[in-house]
Amino acid sequence: MKTGDAEAARDLGRLRQEEGDLEGARRSYEQAIAFRDEYYSSAAAIDLAELLASQGNIDAAHAAYRIAINSSDYHAPGAAIDLGRMLAEHGDTNGARAAYEEAIAYQDDIMSPRAAIDLAELHASQGNIDGTYAACRTLIEVGRLESAVSAATDLARGFEEKNDFEGARIAYQQAIEIAGGPDKASEAVSRLRGLQSRVHPKPRDLERLVAYGPDIPAVFKLESDPDLDLPPVAETASLIDLRVADVSVLIGSGELEAAEKILAQWCSEEEKSEWGPAQFPFDQLARTQGMRGDLPRMRETLRRYRDLNSNTTDRGLGRDLMEWLANEEQPGADKPRQFFSAEDNGPLHVSFMDRAQFCDTSIFFRPLPNPALGGVRFVLVGGPMCFVDRRGEHSCSTADSIDGPLPVKIAEDTSRVATLTEDPAWTTEAVRLCQRLLLAAQRCGESSVWAFAAGFVSSSFRSTIKDLGERPPKKLKVNDLVLQKPPRGTWLYHREPSTLVLHQRSPEPLYQFVGNAPKVALWRWPDRSDLVLQAWCDTLASASADPVTAVLPDTPMLRGFARRYVRRERMDRIERTYLENAAHFGVGEVPNQRGDACYLRVHTSLVIDSDGTEWDGDLLTAALNYLETHYQLRIPPFDAVRDPLLTEILTDHVDQLRESRAARIAWRPDELQRFNEMRSWYARYREQGSRLDIFRIHTPVSYAL
């Protein structure tokens, strides 16, 4: 048989699967496998395995993966990894371990390290010390030291969650040893210090309480004494209970004075500690002082750190801070670039060596002065969802309206957005939609099309792009002010969308587009408020004469944003929660446990065109399906849904899509298992007491409108 026969059968199977004809897709995949082509038959076997697994037929999926492994050395390592992940997800840890070890044995430059990472995580989740460290050694041998340290740290965290403090202590120390020293294992060192504080709290630490500002909503509990009754009116917290993430929320929310007080007292303990200065938050303290405009005290903090540690390249302090100090101490040296707000002419000191910093943070709590620019088309992705967060369990369609006062609506919408943007299923659906729109533009003769994403990078985001045959997405560095198509690949992603507010408010634009503007843009950021979203959309719209397509999570407030934006209204709904502020401006990681989707069925749900016209998202999906099978039609999909003749044809396809979704509405066993696990996890978390009400609206008193 010819290779083309196997390829055609596989392509037909994928097309049928996209159209919802799962039985027809299965037959086409089996036909492609029967051709015994080394490449396409094994690829079809993987497609068949994924289809069967999604239907809950694990035994048949296992057999299909085995066909792929045995028929092609090219696909075998990846198929073995997929098999291991499927088995692990369904509780067959022994089978998963064997599959990962099989993938490692191929010694593939890319896939074998991935398998070692999965194997290490599997052993760590089971508390298997010997297995975890054996996998770590494999990772070190293939140059994946960071992954090895992460796996060892996860093992220690598992012991700590089970209150096995001695096991956790040994595992954290082992992670530090694997990394090559404390300065190269900051998370393990930080957690080991926290563990020591929990096991051996000092009496003076229990008495040293730092008063927060009046607008902090939660009473912090001491980890060393969870039953300690702190006065609810005082709104106080203990140093040993403060994590970097909690301080980040304060900084991001504009409570700079409270954050500086905590960080300063924390750093004052350095001289009495056995740990070096790199393990204390001198960098957060200096940045906070810079944000407050207290540059003399900022210089004093940096000089103190430099005196304590002559190694100024230590990872405990940012290079940009030390360079700023060197410039300050040298008369005539270059100073950080300054911009000025059009409203208050206040200084916005911005260094792009690491991140936007030393800003007049009040600009992030006021609307942009101009109405929406327009020129953006919105496509929303959502669907039925059951998720668990700090507030409890929730079932909804993601676009369902929310009853209650504004704070309740904002809390619910924020949690939905945060859950969706971090969920692999939503990410996969959104990325595939963007990629299909890019391919549709290319078929219509457009060249150099590309996509621009804003959001935290995640393995699901990168792997989905790679699975679609694209190169990994390129990260836009903070000191890179040029927005353009990557030299290789079609995806550029931005992890600092708050800098676009500076771009829009500065008289001199910070960013410039080179070449074509992006054809599509993807919002994967946990923020549903107006300010940064408008800055993001205005930046995209200003660079293109044609509408840019922006893909968003489908929630009530993001629908409202899109409708108001295309009407070019003034975007003044800028109320944000602690979570949203921390995501933009937090120094540390965003507070975790903010939402997990246990059940999610997403699809393209709504299109809001730049002129305000709205269509059902199924019509766009049907248009893409139709145009992909009728190559002679060189029509953009958004024009196709407006064409009266094509609309009649597409209606039948829409009905098929809805029937296909109805057939997949039932819960899968793995989803029920995850739902029960997440319910138990969050219930235990709520019993321990939430550190912060991260879904509460917060605008610092000094920046209140």
Side-chain angles (χ1 to χ4, degrees):
M1 296 294 179
K2 297 181 180 179
T3 296
D5 296 332
E7 180 183 6
R10 184 207 177 199
D11 289 344
L12 179 60
R14 292 165 71 92
L15 178 61
R16 284 175 168 174
Q17 185 172 350
E18 289 181 358
E19 293 178 341
D21 182 7
L22 304 185
E23 183 60 27
R26 182 186 62 77
R27 291 195 301 269
S28 295
Y29 290 145
E30 291 174 346
Q31 183 180 7
I33 294 170
F35 286 125
R36 297 186 179 182
D37 180 81
E38 182 178 3
Y39 182 87
Y40 289 105
S41 294
S42 60
I46 295 174
D47 293 334
L48 176 61
E50 293 175 349
L51 173 62
L52 294 170
S54 69
Q55 296 175 320
N57 194 344
I58 305 306
D59 292 339
H62 191 160
Y65 276 128
R66 185 51 58 187
I67 291 174
I69 294 170
N70 294 336
S71 61
S72 170
D73 288 342
Y74 181 85
H75 288 115
I81 292 175
D82 291 341
L83 173 60
R85 291 174 177 173
M86 181 190 73
L87 295 176
E89 185 177 337
H90 289 82
D92 185 359
T93 54
N94 290 331
R97 176 182 54 78
Y100 292 145
E101 290 175 346
E102 185 174 2
I104 294 171
Y106 280 95
Q107 297 183 350
D108 184 87
D109 291 342
I110 297 175
M111 293 300 176
S112 293
R114 289 187 186 177
I117 293 173
D118 288 345
L119 181 60
E121 292 177 349
L122 177 66
H123 284 310
S125 67
Q126 297 178 296
N128 185 337
I129 300 174
D130 294 338
T132 301
Y133 292 148
C136 288
R137 285 192 291 272
T138 300
L139 288 168
I140 294 172
E141 290 172 0
V142 297
R144 296 294 184 92
L145 177 62
E146 184 177 346
S147 298
V149 175
S150 176
T153 303
D154 287 343
L155 175 65
R157 291 173 63 180
F159 285 133
E160 188 173 356
E161 289 173 0
K162 298 174 183 177
N163 291 328
D164 182 356
F165 297 130
E166 180 61 19
R169 182 187 63 80
I170 295 172
Y172 281 134
Q173 290 177 339
Q174 183 68 30
I176 295 170
E177 183 178 336
I178 290 174
D183 59 329
K184 298 179 181 178
S186 57
E187 182 182 2
V189 169
S190 175
R191 291 189 175 275
L192 180 57
R193 290 178 59 239
L195 178 66
Q196 291 170 338
S197 297
R198 291 179 64 186
V199 178
H200 304 292
K202 300 176 183 179
R204 65 175 183 274
D205 286 334
L206 299 178
E207 300 172 357
R208 185 185 297 111
L209 301 177
V210 181
Y212 273 15
D215 201 31
I216 301 300
V219 176
F220 284 65
K221 295 291 186 180
L222 292 172
E223 289 182 353
S224 55
D225 187 2
D227 297 324
L228 182 65
D229 186 17
L230 295 176
V233 178
E235 305 275 3
T236 58
S238 166
L239 285 179
I240 65 172
D241 186 61
L242 251 295
R243 299 174 302 177
V244 172
D246 297 326
V247 177
S248 300
V249 174
L250 297 178
I251 295 174
S253 301
E255 298 292 348
L256 302 181
E257 184 176 358
E260 182 184 356
K261 184 185 298 184
I262 293 167
L263 292 168
Q265 193 160 358
W266 193 344
C267 291
S268 70
E269 295 292 309
E270 189 279 332
E271 295 179 357
K272 306 173 185 178
S273 171
E274 62 186 43
W275 304 99
Q279 306 309 322
F280 288 81
F282 284 93
D283 55 343
Q284 290 95 330
L285 177 58
R287 293 184 194 279
T288 304
Q289 291 163 339
M291 291 177 186
R292 294 191 65 199
D294 192 348
L295 300 187
R297 188 168 294 180
M298 177 182 169
R299 281 192 293 270
E300 179 183 343
T301 298
L302 295 176
R303 286 169 177 164
R304 179 183 170 200
Y305 176 85
R306 186 180 58 188
D307 294 341
L308 290 170
N309 185 359
S310 58
N311 180 13
T312 57
T313 62
D314 194 295
R315 292 178 64 182
L317 201 64
R319 182 183 64 181
D320 59 323
L321 291 176
M322 299 311 297
E323 290 188 354
W324 180 87
L325 177 62
N327 288 338
E328 285 291 303
E329 294 180 337
Q330 297 176 12
D334 292 336
K335 297 294 190 286
R337 188 177 176 187
Q338 291 190 4
F339 301 95
F340 295 89
S341 165
E343 286 189 18
D344 57 15
N345 205 37
L348 304 177
H349 302 274
V350 182
S351 167
F352 291 98
M353 295 301 299
D354 183 30
R355 68 176 70 206
Q357 61 173 345
F358 315 142
C359 297
D360 171 11
T361 50
S362 66
I363 69 168
F364 296 106
F365 298 92
R366 297 198 302 268
L368 291 179
N370 56 284
L373 187 60
V376 176
R377 173 192 301 117
F378 295 94
V379 180
L380 295 102
V381 176
M385 176 171 68
C386 179
F387 67 107
V388 187
D389 63 13
R390 297 186 180 204
R391 303 167 301 145
E393 305 157 17
H394 315 273
S395 295
C396 64
S397 179
T398 60
D400 283 348
S401 60
I402 303 167
D403 296 328
L406 181 61
V408 172
K409 293 180 179 180
I410 288 181
E412 172 68 14
D413 209 278
T414 299
S415 186
R416 291 184 192 180
V417 172
T419 301
L420 288 172
T421 54
E422 296 187 21
D423 186 82
W426 186 89
T427 299
T428 299
E429 182 69 20
V431 169
R432 285 179 176 173
L433 170 62
C434 292
Q435 195 66 24
R436 296 180 76 185
L437 292 173
L438 292 178
L439 293 175
Q442 290 175 340
R443 286 197 300 271
C444 292
E446 297 187 47
S447 59
S448 301
V449 293
W450 58 288
F452 183 52
F456 299 119
V457 70
S458 64
S459 57
S460 59
F461 176 60
R462 298 177 63 87
S463 62
T464 299
I465 292 175
K466 294 177 68 175
D467 289 345
L468 293 171
E470 289 291 333
R471 291 185 176 272
K474 181 181 183 297
K475 176 182 177 181
L476 180 70
K477 298 180 180 180
V478 176
N479 60 344
D480 188 354
L481 306 182
V482 176
L483 303 178
Q484 61 182 336
K485 183 180 183 297
R488 297 183 296 177
T490 58
W491 281 85
L492 179 71
Y493 72 92
H494 191 15
R495 293 190 61 178
E496 300 279 355
S498 57
T499 58
L500 297 176
V501 176
L502 300 177
H503 171 72
Q504 291 296 323
R505 294 188 68 96
S506 300
E508 304 175 22
L510 308 186
Y511 294 98
Q512 61 176 340
F513 282 97
V514 173
N516 296 340
K519 189 68 178 178
V520 295
L522 174 61
W523 183 258
R524 293 182 56 250
W525 197 268
D527 182 2
R528 38 85 257 156
S529 64
D530 280 2
L531 179 63
V532 183
L533 262 171
Q534 182 190 353
W536 183 66
C537 291
D538 283 357
T539 302
L540 297 172
S542 64
S544 176
D546 298 323
V548 176
T549 301
V551 178
L552 307 178
D554 191 5
T555 69
M557 289 192 173
L558 287 181
R559 281 192 175 197
F561 169 86
R563 287 165 175 154
R564 288 181 291 114
Y565 189 90
V566 298
R567 293 196 296 263
R568 302 175 187 256
E569 295 183 7
R570 178 171 169 79
M571 313 300 288
D572 54 5
R573 300 180 186 179
I574 61 169
E575 304 91 347
R576 287 196 300 268
T577 63
Y578 275 94
L579 171 61
E580 292 166 309
N581 283 330
H584 286 299
F585 313 119
V587 176
E589 61 184 27
V590 179
N592 61 0
Q593 297 176 336
R594 51 197 176 271
D596 284 275
C598 306
Y599 170 94
L600 184 61
R601 300 289 186 271
V602 290
H603 62 283
T604 303
S605 47
L606 181 66
V607 178
I608 303 175
D609 212 338
S610 57
D611 62 359
T613 306
E614 297 188 14
W615 304 292
D616 190 309
D618 286 336
L619 197 60
L620 174 60
T621 303
L624 289 169
N625 292 343
Y626 186 80
L627 294 173
E628 287 168 359
T629 56
H630 296 75
Y631 294 102
Q632 71 277 14
L633 292 178
R634 308 293 182 179
I635 303 176
F638 297 104
D639 290 347
V641 298
R642 290 178 178 269
D643 187 285
L645 295 178
L646 284 177
T647 301
E648 294 182 7
I649 299 174
L650 297 178
T651 302
D652 293 336
H653 292 264
V654 168
D655 294 338
Q656 294 174 9
L657 288 171
R658 291 172 179 170
E659 290 175 2
S660 174
R661 284 205 302 274
R664 295 183 288 110
I665 202 68
W667 284 66
R668 301 193 305 266
D670 61 297
E671 292 173 330
L672 289 171
Q673 179 182 354
R674 178 168 177 78
F675 179 60
N676 291 327
E677 291 174 351
M678 289 297 100
R679 285 202 309 181
S680 300
W681 173 258
Y682 279 97
R684 184 169 61 249
Y685 185 84
R686 288 192 293 273
E687 290 171 2
Q688 296 172 354
S690 175
R691 292 174 176 272
L692 280 175
D693 181 1
I694 62 174
F695 297 117
R696 175 179 172 175
I697 303 172
H698 179 261
T699 301
V701 175
S702 56
Y703 300 146
L705 299 176

